[in-house]
Amino acid sequence: GSSGDLSGMGSGLGMKDLWRPGVPSMRLRVYQFEQLLKVALPKLHAHFRAIGLAPEVLAAQWFLTLFSYSLPHPSVARCWDLVFFDGWKAVFRLAIARLASAAEALLPLNLEETAAYLRSSRLGGQPALADETSSSSSSSSAWTSGKSSGGSGGEALVSAALKVKVTRSTLHRLQRDFAVELLRERLRDTGSGTRNGGGATNPASASPPGAPPPEGGGRSELAEDPASAEPHSDPGADPGPGRAAGPPSGPSAPLAPPPPAPP
C-alpha cells in the first residue's frame, strides 16, 4: 500500500477496522489496553477509575493517530519503526511506557487537572498546575518531548517500551475474553428487552415491528355460544314438516311484482 495506508502494512494493524460502524475493533483495543494497564500500572489504573477517566480518552488520542497527535515528529518516526515491526503489541508497550514515565505526576491529579495535562502534551507545553513539584515538572517534560531517563526523544521511549512485558499470547487471550464479554452484553440487552416488553407476550403470536395486521382484524376473540346462535336460513331450502315457507327476510330481499290486470 501507499505510505499513508497503515492498513496495508506488514504489521497487520488493520487501522481501517477502527473506523467501522460500531467501532468493534476500537472497543477490542481499549479492552486490551485497560487490562494490560491494570497489570503493569495497577495504582495508576485504579486512580483513573477513581477520578472517572475512561481509557477511551487515551485510546482515541493515541491509537487512532499512532501517537502522531501527542509526540514530536522525530519521536513519532522512531516509534513507528517499532509499531510497523511489531504491530499492536508495540502500540500497547509504547502507551504503557508513556504512562509509566508520567505516573508520578498523574497520581495526585483530579480529572480536570489530568485533562489539562493531556492537553499540554498535545500542544507541546507544560501542564498549568497550581501545585507543580519538581518531580512532576520533570515528568511532564519527558511526557511532552517523548524523553525518559537514560536517553532523549523517541529512542528513550522505545527503550522504555521494550521493557514492558506484552506477549502475543496475552493479546490473543484478551481478545477471547473480550468476545465473551461482548456476548454477555448482547444477552443482557436481549433479556432486558424481553422483560421490558410489557406483559407476557406469546412469541409465536407476536408480529414483528412494521408487520401488517393479521387478516380478519375486526373479528372478536370471544367464541360464539352454540346455544344462542341463530340458525342460518337458506331461502331456497325446504322448510321441513310443520313449518311454513315464508318470504326471505332482510332489507335486501326483492319484492315480487303484482300480477298483470285481466284484459
Side-chain angles (χ1 to χ4, degrees):
S2 65
S3 59
D5 183 12
L6 300 181
S7 63
M9 295 293 182
S11 59
L13 287 170
M15 295 296 291
K16 63 182 179 182
D17 292 333
L18 297 179
W19 302 93
R20 293 189 185 278
V23 291
S25 183
M26 173 59 82
R27 292 183 62 189
L28 167 64
R29 302 310 176 187
V30 169
Y31 177 85
Q32 290 173 318
F33 173 60
E34 185 174 11
Q35 301 307 312
L36 293 171
L37 180 63
K38 185 188 302 184
V39 174
L41 300 171
K43 289 184 179 179
L44 190 60
H45 174 265
H47 174 66
F48 284 167
R49 289 182 63 89
I51 65 175
L53 178 65
E56 290 89 340
V57 175
L58 295 176
Q61 186 179 121
W62 292 353
F63 296 173
L64 292 176
T65 66
L66 294 181
F67 305 101
S68 63
Y69 189 67
S70 58
L71 286 177
H73 289 298
S75 299
V76 170
R78 182 63 186 96
C79 291
W80 278 17
D81 286 341
L82 183 62
V83 169
F84 292 156
F85 178 77
D86 229 1
W88 279 102
K89 175 181 173 181
V91 174
F92 293 131
R93 296 172 91 176
L94 288 166
I96 292 174
R98 288 211 73 199
L99 289 175
S101 70
E104 188 177 353
L106 288 170
L107 283 173
L109 307 183
N110 58 30
L111 181 59
E112 183 178 351
E113 292 168 339
T114 302
Y117 197 102
L118 297 175
R119 285 195 300 271
S120 72
S121 74
R122 174 173 60 85
L123 298 174
Q126 296 293 331
L129 304 179
D131 259 339
E132 187 173 60
T133 63
S134 59
S135 62
S136 65
S137 178
S138 61
S139 295
S140 63
S141 177
W143 175 273
T144 57
S145 63
K147 299 178 181 179
S148 61
S149 60
S152 63
E155 191 63 44
L157 181 57
V158 168
S159 297
L162 292 175
K163 298 176 184 178
V164 178
K165 185 177 181 181
V166 176
T167 63
R168 300 190 188 282
S169 60
T170 299
L171 295 181
H172 291 157
R173 176 179 57 81
L174 292 175
Q175 186 171 359
R176 292 193 299 269
D177 293 346
F178 173 75
V180 173
E181 290 294 327
L182 198 61
L183 179 60
R184 288 175 177 170
E185 178 182 318
R186 291 175 179 173
L187 290 176
R188 284 195 299 267
D189 292 343
T190 303
S192 175
T194 303
R195 288 192 298 271
N196 297 333
T201 303
N202 183 4
S205 62
S207 300
E215 296 183 5
R219 184 176 181 180
S220 172
E221 297 181 357
L222 298 177
E224 294 183 354
D225 183 4
S228 61
E230 289 292 335
H232 177 70
S233 59
D234 186 355
D238 183 7
R243 296 184 61 181
S249 59
S252 61
L255 296 177

